[in-house]
């Protein structure tokens, strides 16, 4: 089945630094990737949708200048949290689809970001 | 505005019994529904899905029921096993977005 790899699984950084999270589709070409965020004991909230070769579409309330998304190839999307602050600490999860008509999204294992 | 709601944050069921997890939605444009299982610090894994043109889908121990008039779906797990203990999310597709519910923590005890 489809596999999505996410790296790093855990990252701790100082306030003000930037952190990059990678999301790769291992055995399929992901025309669309989705980035979600989950705060403790809460739902998964969609942050943005990225299509290969075009700009990401951000959900309302998500700062595009703070959460930079790049989907430069059909197998890789990156999320960069710029100038991270403690309130950005969260669990970030990516998912991908090849848009073959399947309605099931495959998710990565997630990345736990802790900003000190 | 939470379009997909799971009103029970937790559920405790004895092993071997049926687990019933419920989900309500507000948007009649939702056309495909899924259930995901999630462990802490991991991504969600897909369990079962149902199209809005159906009212039931079954896969092994898992059955999903959809009541469109009530905008309600449920996941039945029978028999429940300790390994089923996790957080369960219902999710729905609308305009190329997958929207998640608030989650229900299921605990299956021996």
């Amino acid at each position: 089945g489809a596999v999505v790899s996410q790296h790093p699984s855990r990252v701790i950084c100082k306030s003000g630094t930037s952190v990059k999270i990678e999301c790769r589709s291992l055995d399929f070409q992901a025309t669309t990737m989705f980035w979600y965020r989950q705060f403790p004991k809460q739902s998964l909230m969609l942050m943005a949708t990225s299509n290969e070769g075009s700009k990401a579409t951000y959900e309302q309330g998500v700062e595009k200048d703070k959460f930079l998304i790049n989907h430069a190839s059909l197998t890789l999307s990156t999320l960069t949290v710029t100038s991270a602050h403690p309130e950005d600490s969260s669990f970030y999860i990516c998912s991908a689809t090849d848009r073959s008509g399947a309605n099931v999204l495959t998710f990565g294992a997630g990345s736990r970001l802790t900003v000190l | 505005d939470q379009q997909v709601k799971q009103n029970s944050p937790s559920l405790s069921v004895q092993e071997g019994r049926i687990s019933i997890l419920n989900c309500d939605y507000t948007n009649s444009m939702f056309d495909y529904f899924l259930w995901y299982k999630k462990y802490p610090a991991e991504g969600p894994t897909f369990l079962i899905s149902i199209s809005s043109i159906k009212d039931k889908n079954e896969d092994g121990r898992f059955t999903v029921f959809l009541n469109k008039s009530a905008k309600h779906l449920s996941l039945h797990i029978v028999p429940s096993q300790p390994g089923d203990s996790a957080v369960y999310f219902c999710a729905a597709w609308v305009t190329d977005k997958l929207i998640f519910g608030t989650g229900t923590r299921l605990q299956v005890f021996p």
Side-chain angles (χ1 to χ4, degrees):
Chain A
V3 178
V4 175
S5 173
Q6 194 170 336
H7 178 81
S9 59
R10 186 172 297 188
V11 58
I12 301 172
C13 69
K14 292 183 179 180
S15 183
T17 60
S18 295
V19 174
K20 180 184 286 188
I21 300 170
E22 292 187 348
C23 180
R24 295 180 184 272
S25 57
L26 297 186
D27 50 1
F28 66 101
Q29 293 186 326
T31 53
T32 304
M33 286 188 174
F34 302 87
W35 287 94
Y36 288 81
R37 177 170 58 184
Q38 185 188 26
F39 291 107
K41 297 184 179 180
Q42 293 189 23
S43 182
L44 283 74
M45 301 303 295
L46 179 64
M47 298 175 66
T49 302
S50 73
N51 292 295
E52 186 266 338
S54 62
K55 290 184 178 181
T57 302
Y58 290 82
E59 294 300 301
Q60 189 174 11
V62 178
E63 300 176 56
K64 63 180 181 179
D65 294 329
K66 181 167 191 61
F67 299 100
L68 300 179
I69 292 172
N70 183 281
H71 192 165
S73 78
L74 284 171
T75 59
L76 174 64
S77 175
T78 60
L79 167 67
T80 301
V81 183
T82 62
S83 186
H85 291 284
E87 58 265 29
D88 298 324
S89 298
S90 187
F91 191 60
Y92 293 87
I93 314 171
C94 72
S95 64
T97 178
D98 62 2
R99 286 299 194 206
S100 63
N103 289 294
V104 177
L105 284 187
T106 300
F107 285 83
S111 300
R112 168 75 59 194
L113 170 63
T114 302
V115 184
L116 302 177
Chain B
D1 179 29
Q2 190 70 39
Q3 297 187 67
V4 183
K5 298 180 182 179
Q6 294 173 253
N7 292 317
S8 298
S10 64
L11 176 67
S12 188
V13 173
Q14 188 173 30
E15 180 179 8
R17 302 268 187 169
I18 185 172
S19 295
I20 300 176
L21 297 103
N22 295 303
C23 179
D24 297 297
Y25 60 95
T26 58
N27 192 335
S28 58
M29 297 300 290
F30 289 148
D31 58 4
Y32 201 87
F33 303 87
L34 305 92
W35 283 93
Y36 281 85
K37 177 180 179 181
K38 186 180 182 301
Y39 295 111
E42 293 185 13
T45 54
F46 170 72
L47 277 176
I48 192 169
S49 62
I50 188 167
S51 165
S52 60
I53 62 174
K54 296 187 176 181
D55 55 19
K56 178 183 176 181
N57 187 27
E58 190 172 356
D59 183 3
R61 296 187 298 116
F62 303 93
T63 303
V64 56
F65 295 92
L66 175 63
N67 182 332
K68 288 193 295 289
S69 61
K71 294 191 178 68
H72 177 84
L73 66 156
S74 61
L75 173 68
H76 292 207
I77 306 173
V78 57
S80 301
Q81 301 173 353
D84 296 329
S85 297
V87 178
Y88 289 77
F89 289 95
C90 64
W93 277 105
V94 62
T95 56
D96 291 341
K97 298 178 186 179
L98 187 61
I99 307 298
F100 279 82
T102 47
T104 297
R105 181 176 301 278
L106 173 66
Q107 183 179 4
V108 180
F109 59 93

